[in-house]
Amino acid sequence: MIESLLSGKLVGTPERRTSKGGKPYVQARMRVPAGAEEVHFARLTAFSDTACTALLALGDGDALAVAGTLKVGVWTPQGGEPRPN
């Protein structure tokens, strides 16, 4: 896990969800520029009431900055090269 600070734009509309244990959380996606022409996408999951309320107040294309723990993964599109996730 990596402590990180990301800034970018929201992609789509944040979604309120509930865990199997009944705890509410919010999920969203953000587009993060990474250099002149490279872009990464980050999936966000918020658990605190303050963070959930802030995410739900935003809409597609709104600018945001987030701080927290970053977990890096790999995603491979069908027939394509692996990409960071």
Side-chain angles (χ1 to χ4, degrees):
M1 303 275 189
I2 302 167
E3 288 299 315
S4 62
L5 173 62
L6 301 175
S7 62
K9 294 192 176 193
L10 196 64
V11 177
T13 303
E15 296 180 12
R16 182 185 308 268
R17 298 191 176 181
T18 304
S19 71
K20 291 179 184 176
K23 183 174 178 170
Y25 65 98
V26 173
Q27 284 193 324
R29 288 184 54 212
M30 100 186 257
R31 181 182 189 276
V32 181
E37 295 183 24
E38 192 172 351
V39 173
H40 295 290
F41 290 89
R43 289 184 294 172
L44 309 175
T45 304
F47 296 101
S48 76
D49 290 338
T50 304
C52 288
T53 300
L55 270 177
L56 290 169
L58 299 174
D60 186 39
D62 285 346
L64 74 157
V66 297
T69 305
L70 175 68
K71 181 178 174 185
V72 179
V74 177
W75 171 70
T76 306
Q78 189 173 13
E81 295 291 318
R83 299 179 186 169
N85 178 21

